[in-house]
């Protein structure tokens, strides 16, 4: 064995230990002693000998290596060296997710080598002792994940400190004065870690960008985007490239398309929408059928492959919709201008044109590039008013489309499509971005009209490529797929629904299962457990993703489905438009592996955007409820954990935590199977779906967390039953609240969850 070169400086104990572990990992079934190890790792000094001998003895005592004879060791036959992804948590509960089997192994901070969340690491796994969980120690950081941290700056005389908001980092970051980028105390900043020595408690870093003053609306919205690695401004070069693009609707371009400018066409969108990427047209044919056109902005006519605009759009993959703003995938000159199907303007479109009878049966369809002109821009409320009253602009056309859409929807549900129809919370925002009111966005007939025709177009496009005529092989394409529900989650849903008196099938055909879910969702409407059971039903479903491997869309009960209808805000739709153009013109199939990579990236970015949207809603909920401290609300228990109860308020759908430490009358155990907390002595139960009263006691904007306390009469009723109404309720409650051990135990359970 070749001896390593002698180090130029004395190795630290940490470095020696790391080298020893690496040496052991390479020995397979060979035996070794401390001298052999010292020679092999280049630490052949008396002091190193002593250190190595102690390390080997400690490893043998812990069961990580075997002492075959006094002072002679070998590695165990089982593999205790593994590679995985490091998961760092601010509460100190770090772990490594092993690549081989996805097992999560605890890693103490002292054994982490200061690995950051997402780093690829090599670990040694300690032998599992009887009655204890295994532990791992990081031997080497194989691949560092690029990441940044967001927080508030505190600038001292000699240095700055970034007090981080991160749930992945328990310590603050020290910033040298010359690395603050002009940041001042109170500024919200983005920083990266530049070094973190073994002996240092805090990492050192540098500021990348200053977002603004902490607490200001735009600052906090940008911070949310940055938290999820999403862009919050456009590169100047991309904006300039977009500004150079004109509409370019020449006679030559029109001649190459179907001209539908004379057909009645209109858009229906939210009242605050500016990017109109879809329009509907309708006219009656001589045979009594209807010609319905679904017209989509022809974005790819303007955004060419591999251009600066295209590369930026591909990287972003999606527009991001926060509470008070849209961060568009394409610059506004395109998204709100050139491509947007604004009224009384000629526009280039990619269209699905259907001939339908009065029973919404598609007689024939075609996919073609067109030129259209919208006659009217409707908001959803305006179109809904036409549907409800029968009066207004284009009333006959809207009522006909509504009738056809309702027939399409009925047939879809009969075929097994799942009907999720949950209200979404929205905020009235003042000029400073502060929430002053809450309202619910509900899907009405006008919304469903648009939804149904978009579904029809997406399904038609997917089938046109995925199901070619004759024996032709399908070409590589982008599908929007939705896998079958997880059997375990479906079984849990069935079990819990049964406790509320509803039956959900957990076996049988997908059509039978989905019909039972739809029945449950319909029957639970207006009841206290509606939100809980509908949320649980959604969670039982798999996530829809983009892929080249078509497995169908379970939730919609479609064999073929894609996204074609929103290219202004989704890059996969742009991919679909380009593939359609290629294949309709007889082009060969594209490289499936490259296409799959783009699909995967788009799915990941879609999830990040959804997370950012939820975070912005949570921030505004906490900000809004901060104006209502001390007020009492009715709510429903929407989540149960070992550290407390999550309660969603009936009035505004804001969700907060009742920490278990506040349940001071008893010690509560978490019953995971039945989704409830159970008092050990009083047997009071708090379970998912229970109606409760709560008071707002804390609103922490930094953590986006609301804290409630229960104002609940079930303990009082329990006390009255126990005392036979002979003692005072206050005596009962005082006796329970005097149980010091219960309070301390409950507090201990929540202490490590404060930053969750």
């Amino acid at each position: 064995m070749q001896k390593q070169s002698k180090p130029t400086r004395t190795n630290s104990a940490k470095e020696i230990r790391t080298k020893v572990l690496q040496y052991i990992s390479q020995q397979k079934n060979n035996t070794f002693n401390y001298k052999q190890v010292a020679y092999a790792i280049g630490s052949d000094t008396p002091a190193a000998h002593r250190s190595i001998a102690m390390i080997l003895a400690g490893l043998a005592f812990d069961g990580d290596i075997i002492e075959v004879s006094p002072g002679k060791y070998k590695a165990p036959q089982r593999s205790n060296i593994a590679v995985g992804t490091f998961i760092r948590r601010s509460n100190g509960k770090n772990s490594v997710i092993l690549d081989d089997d996805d097992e999560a192994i605890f890693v103490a901070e002292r054994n982490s080598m200061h690995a950051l969340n997402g780093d690829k690491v090599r670990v040694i796994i300690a032998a599992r002792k009887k009655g204890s969980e295994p532990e791992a120690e990081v031997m080497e950081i194989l691949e560092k994940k690029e990441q940044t941290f967001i927080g508030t700056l505190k600038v001292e005389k000699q240095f700055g400190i970034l007090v981080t908001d991160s749930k992945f980092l328990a310590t603050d970051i020290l910033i040298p004065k010359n690395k603050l980028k002009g940041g001042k105390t109170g500024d919200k900043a983005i920083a990266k870690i530049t070094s973190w020595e073994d002996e240092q408690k805090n990492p050192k870093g540098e500021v990348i960008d200053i977002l603004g003053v902490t607490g200001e609306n735009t600052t906090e919205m940008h911070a949310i985007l940055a938290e999820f690695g999403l862009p919050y401004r456009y590169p100047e070069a991309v904006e300039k490239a977009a500004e150079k693009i004109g509409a370019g609707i020449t006679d030559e371009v029109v001649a190459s398309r179907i001209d539908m400018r004379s057909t009645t066409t209109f858009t229906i969108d939210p009242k605050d929408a500016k990017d109109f990427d879809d329009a509907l047209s309708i006219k009656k044919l001589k045979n009594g059928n209807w010609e319905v056109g679904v017209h989509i902005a022809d974005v790819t006519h303007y955004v060419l492959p591999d251009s600066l605009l295209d590369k930026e759009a591909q990287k972003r993959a999606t527009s991001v919709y926060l509470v008070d703003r849209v961060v568009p995938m394409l610059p506004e000159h395109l998204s709100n201008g050139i491509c947007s199907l604004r009224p009384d303007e000629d526009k280039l479109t990619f269209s699905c044109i259907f001939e339908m009878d009065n029973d919404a049966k598609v007689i024939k369809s075609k996919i073609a590039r067109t030129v259209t002109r919208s006659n009217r821009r409707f908001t959803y409320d305006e179109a809904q008013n036409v549907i409800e009253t029968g009066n207004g602009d284009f009333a006959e056309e809207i009522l006909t489309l509504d009738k056809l859409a309702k027939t399409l929807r009925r047939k879809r549900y009969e075929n097994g499509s799942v009907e999720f129809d949950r209200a979404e919370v929205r905020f009235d925002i003042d000029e400073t971005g502060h929430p002053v009111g809450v309202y619910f966005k509900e899907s009405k007939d006008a919304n469903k009209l648009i939804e149904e025709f978009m579904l029809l177009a997406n399904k038609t496009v997917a089938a046109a490529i995925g199901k070619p005529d004759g024996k032709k092989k399908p070409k590589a394409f982008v599908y929007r797929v939705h896998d079958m529900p997880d059997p375990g989650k479906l079984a849990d849903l069935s079990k819990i629904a049964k406790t509320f008196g509803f039956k959900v099938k957990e076996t049988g055909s997908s059509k039978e299962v989905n019909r039972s879910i739809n029945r449950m969702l319909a029957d639970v409407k207006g009841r206290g457990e509606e939100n809980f059971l509908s949320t649980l039903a959604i969670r039982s479903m798999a996530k829809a993703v983009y892929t080249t491997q078509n497995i169908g869309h379970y939730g919609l009960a479609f064999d073929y489905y894609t996204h074609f209808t929103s290219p202004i805000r989704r890059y996969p739709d742009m991919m679909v438009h380009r593939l359609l153009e290629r294949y309709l013109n007889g082009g060969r199939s594209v490289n499936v592996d490259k296409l799959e990579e783009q699909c995967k990236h788009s799915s990941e970015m879609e999830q990040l955007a959804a997370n950012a949207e939820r975070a912005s809603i949570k921030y505004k909920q906490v900000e809004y409820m901060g104006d209502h401290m001390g007020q009492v609300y009715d709510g429903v228990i929407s989540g149960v954990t070992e550290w407390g109860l999550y309660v969603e308020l009936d009035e505004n759908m804001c969700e907060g935590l009742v920490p278990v430490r506040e349940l001071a009358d008893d010690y509560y155990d978490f019953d995971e199977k039945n989704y409830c907390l159970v008092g050990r002595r009083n047997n009071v139960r708090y379970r998912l779906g229970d109606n409760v009263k709560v008071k707002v006691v804390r609103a922490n904007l930094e953590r986006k967390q609301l804290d409630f306390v229960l104002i609940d009469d079930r303990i009082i009723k329990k006390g009255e039953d126990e005392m036979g109404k002979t003692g005072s309720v206050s005596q009962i409650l005082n006796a329970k609240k005097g149980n010091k051990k219960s309070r301390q135990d409950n507090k201990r359970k929540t202490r490590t969850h404060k930053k969750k």
Side-chain angles (χ1 to χ4, degrees):
M1 181 180 294
Q2 186 177 0
K3 182 176 178 179
Q4 295 183 3
S5 58
K6 201 164 186 177
T8 56
R9 62 182 179 84
T10 304
N11 288 324
S12 69
K14 183 78 173 178
E15 290 172 327
I16 291 175
R17 180 177 174 82
T18 298
K19 290 181 178 180
V20 169
L21 294 174
Q22 289 173 332
Y23 171 81
I24 293 171
S25 70
Q26 299 164 2
Q27 297 315 299
K28 297 183 180 178
N29 205 33
N30 298 326
T31 58
F32 48 84
N33 58 34
Y34 74 92
K35 289 185 178 180
Q36 290 171 303
V37 177
Y39 183 86
I41 68 173
S43 296
D44 202 7
T45 65
H49 283 190
R50 289 192 296 273
S51 179
I52 292 166
M54 292 180 65
I55 290 169
L56 294 176
L59 290 170
F61 180 82
D62 290 337
D64 296 323
I65 58 176
I66 301 168
E67 189 171 20
V68 293
S69 61
K72 196 169 188 178
Y73 307 91
K74 75 170 185 176
Q77 290 300 305
R78 65 175 178 81
S79 174
N80 61 344
I81 306 296
V83 172
T85 301
F86 190 81
I87 306 297
R88 174 173 285 281
R89 289 289 181 265
S90 60
N91 59 14
K93 293 191 174 182
N94 306 326
S95 62
V96 60
I97 308 295
L98 303 184
D99 287 353
D100 290 342
D101 55 13
D102 289 333
E103 183 180 3
I105 308 292
F106 174 71
V107 180
E109 181 59 35
R110 65 181 179 279
N111 295 326
S112 71
M113 283 186 70
H114 295 321
L116 296 177
N117 192 63
D119 286 353
K120 186 69 72 173
V121 295
R122 180 177 284 113
V123 297
I124 183 168
I125 303 169
R128 188 190 297 261
K129 300 180 181 67
K130 190 173 182 179
S132 65
E133 294 297 315
E135 287 193 32
E137 179 177 346
V138 177
M139 301 165 53
E140 183 182 2
I141 299 175
L142 301 173
E143 182 182 329
K144 294 193 76 65
K145 180 185 177 184
E146 281 193 29
Q147 55 194 293
T148 56
F149 298 91
I150 301 162
T152 301
L153 283 174
K154 184 179 179 183
V155 181
E156 307 285 356
K157 281 188 178 181
Q158 305 298 326
F159 55 87
I161 300 169
L162 186 78
V163 182
T164 63
D165 300 340
S166 175
K167 60 184 177 183
F168 301 121
L169 194 66
T171 60
D172 300 330
I173 301 173
L174 301 179
I175 313 284
K177 286 291 284 282
N178 63 345
K179 299 292 184 181
L180 287 170
K181 209 168 184 176
K184 304 180 291 295
T185 295
D187 283 348
K188 181 145 283 189
I190 306 173
K192 68 177 181 179
I193 291 174
T194 54
S195 66
W196 196 352
E197 301 298 331
D198 286 342
E199 299 79 13
Q200 292 179 335
K201 180 182 177 183
N202 296 84
K204 290 182 180 178
E206 65 177 273
V207 171
I208 296 172
D209 198 9
I210 302 296
L211 297 174
V213 178
T214 296
E216 290 184 354
N217 185 62
T218 295
T219 298
E220 297 302 335
M221 293 300 105
H222 284 178
I224 287 170
L225 292 166
E227 176 188 352
F228 294 99
L230 297 168
Y232 47 89
R233 63 170 67 99
Y234 254 100
E236 188 177 345
V238 177
E239 293 274 18
K240 287 182 177 178
E243 292 292 337
K244 293 178 181 178
I245 296 175
I249 305 178
T250 64
D251 292 342
E252 184 181 4
V253 170
V254 171
S256 67
R257 296 166 176 256
I258 298 175
D259 189 346
M260 299 188 68
R261 289 176 291 182
S262 61
T263 304
T264 299
T265 303
F266 44 80
T267 61
I268 305 177
D269 291 279
K271 62 182 179 181
D272 56 351
K274 296 176 182 177
D275 54 343
F276 312 135
D277 53 12
D278 59 79
L280 292 178
S281 70
I282 183 170
K283 72 176 179 181
K284 192 159 191 175
L285 300 174
K286 291 179 180 179
N287 61 5
N289 290 336
W290 299 97
E291 180 192 85
V292 177
V294 179
H295 307 290
I296 308 303
D298 193 355
V299 174
T300 56
H301 176 83
Y302 299 103
V303 181
L304 302 180
D306 298 322
S307 64
L308 193 62
L309 278 167
D310 183 55
K311 288 176 181 177
E312 183 70 19
Q314 183 177 353
K315 183 170 69 174
R316 291 173 178 246
T318 181
S319 295
V320 184
Y321 292 82
L322 302 185
V323 166
D324 67 334
R325 70 195 63 205
V326 178
V327 183
M329 180 181 74
L330 296 168
E332 289 187 6
H333 177 68
L334 289 175
S335 60
N336 296 355
I338 297 295
C339 296
S340 184
L341 307 185
R342 299 186 297 194
D344 302 319
E345 295 181 14
D346 291 350
K347 294 292 178 177
L348 301 182
T349 43
F350 216 149
S351 306
C352 281
I353 305 165
F354 303 96
E355 181 181 339
M356 307 176 76
D357 64 17
N358 284 307
D359 195 36
K361 180 181 178 182
V362 176
I363 309 302
K364 60 182 179 181
S365 65
K366 60 183 173 184
I367 304 167
R369 280 196 142 111
T370 55
V371 183
T372 54
R373 185 180 182 88
S374 173
N375 302 105
R376 171 76 147 83
R377 184 257 161 134
F378 286 94
T379 66
Y380 280 122
D381 288 340
E382 289 170 339
Q384 184 65 30
N385 185 62
V386 173
I387 292 170
E388 290 176 1
T389 66
N391 299 315
D393 294 344
F394 303 108
E396 183 182 355
E397 289 86 350
I398 288 178
L399 291 172
T400 300
L401 288 169
D402 179 58
K403 175 178 173 291
L404 294 171
K406 285 173 177 170
T407 303
L408 286 171
R409 187 160 60 253
R410 174 179 55 79
K411 291 179 178 179
R412 181 162 57 85
Y413 290 146
E414 287 173 355
N415 199 43
S417 183
V418 184
E419 184 178 6
F420 290 119
D421 191 18
R422 193 183 175 211
E424 299 176 25
V425 66
R426 292 290 185 266
F427 295 90
D428 289 318
I429 306 288
D430 68 15
E431 63 278 1
T432 68
H434 188 78
V436 293
V438 179
Y439 64 94
F440 301 129
K441 175 189 169 186
E442 295 184 76
S443 185
K444 297 183 178 180
D445 287 341
N447 305 76
K448 293 174 181 177
L449 184 161
I450 293 297
E451 177 188 30
E452 218 54 53
F453 282 104
M454 297 307 116
L455 291 176
L456 178 62
N458 287 333
K459 180 175 72 168
T460 301
V461 166
I465 305 301
K467 193 179 179 182
D469 295 333
K471 295 183 179 180
K472 293 180 182 178
K473 185 179 179 181
K475 295 176 180 178
F477 200 57
V478 176
Y479 296 98
R480 179 71 167 177
V481 305
H482 186 227
D483 208 348
M484 296 182 68
D486 177 89
K489 291 181 179 179
L490 194 58
D492 287 344
L493 172 63
S494 178
K495 179 182 175 184
I496 293 168
K498 189 175 181 180
T499 65
F500 290 100
F502 304 107
K503 185 176 181 181
V504 172
K505 291 179 69 69
E506 54 184 290
T507 58
S509 69
S510 59
K511 187 180 292 189
E512 291 171 335
V513 171
N514 288 357
R515 280 178 178 171
S516 72
I517 293 174
N518 284 342
R519 278 195 299 271
M520 184 267 289
L521 292 173
D523 293 343
V524 79
K525 280 280 186 188
R527 296 178 55 163
E529 60 270 21
E530 176 186 357
N531 183 53
F532 161 54
L533 287 177
S534 61
T535 301
L536 206 61
I538 292 171
R539 289 175 182 171
S540 72
M541 298 287 171
K543 281 188 173 66
V545 296
Y546 299 106
T547 180
T548 58
Q549 305 301 313
N550 182 43
I551 59 170
H553 197 292
Y554 178 88
L556 293 172
F558 289 165
D559 292 330
Y560 298 91
Y561 190 64
T562 189
H563 273 171
F564 161 77
T565 54
S566 294
I568 287 177
R569 62 184 180 90
R570 295 187 305 224
Y571 194 78
D573 301 57
M574 289 176 59
M575 293 160 62
V576 165
H577 281 217
R578 286 178 179 147
L579 292 170
L580 269 177
E581 180 185 24
R582 180 188 183 98
Y583 296 155
L584 291 175
N585 292 329
R588 298 177 63 182
S589 184
V590 299
N591 182 285
V592 70
D593 292 333
K594 184 177 179 181
L595 194 61
E596 183 64 32
E597 285 179 17
Q598 292 176 329
C599 287
K600 183 180 178 183
H601 172 70
S602 294
S603 297
E604 290 171 350
M605 294 304 292
E606 176 189 40
Q607 187 58 53
L608 287 176
N611 291 341
E613 180 183 0
R614 282 193 290 268
S616 76
I617 291 171
K618 188 67 179 177
Y619 184 90
K620 290 301 175 188
Q621 286 179 331
V622 175
E623 190 177 10
Y624 176 75
M625 295 307 296
D627 296 336
H628 300 271
M629 298 294 290
Q631 293 187 17
V632 175
Y633 293 89
D634 291 319
V636 62
I637 296 177
S638 55
V640 182
T641 69
E642 62 181 319
W643 58 87
L645 305 168
Y646 286 96
V647 175
E648 184 176 275
L649 307 183
D650 296 340
E651 182 178 311
N652 51 39
M653 290 178 69
C654 293
E655 187 181 62
L657 176 70
V658 178
V660 72
R661 67 176 178 270
E662 298 291 351
L663 304 176
D665 62 292
D666 200 350
Y667 180 83
Y668 282 85
D669 292 309
F670 176 44
D671 182 347
E672 190 172 5
K673 287 185 178 180
N674 294 304
Y675 294 88
C676 64
L677 288 178
V678 184
R680 285 187 180 179
R681 293 183 298 105
N682 60 31
N683 203 36
V684 167
R685 291 172 180 263
Y686 297 101
R687 69 171 187 170
L688 276 168
D690 280 356
N691 294 308
V692 291
K693 281 186 183 296
V694 293
K695 180 191 286 187
V696 184
V697 293
R698 277 178 293 276
N700 189 321
L701 275 172
E702 287 183 3
R703 297 178 186 170
K704 304 181 187 74
Q705 182 174 306
L706 282 174
D707 279 359
F708 300 149
V709 292
L710 278 178
I711 298 177
D712 196 28
D713 64 353
R714 73 187 72 191
I715 297 169
I716 295 174
K717 290 178 180 176
K718 177 80 176 176
E720 290 174 344
D721 292 341
E722 288 175 353
M723 299 286 289
K725 298 187 180 180
T726 57
S728 72
V729 171
S730 61
Q731 286 176 327
I732 300 165
L733 290 178
N734 287 335
K736 291 180 183 295
K737 290 180 179 177
N739 189 323
K740 189 174 181 180
K741 184 178 185 303
S742 295
R743 287 200 304 274
Q744 290 174 338
D745 288 345
N746 283 332
K747 284 180 180 178
R748 187 169 60 249
K749 286 172 72 175
T750 55
R751 194 171 294 128
T752 58
H753 298 282
K754 284 185 178 180
K755 284 197 175 183
K756 280 190 177 287

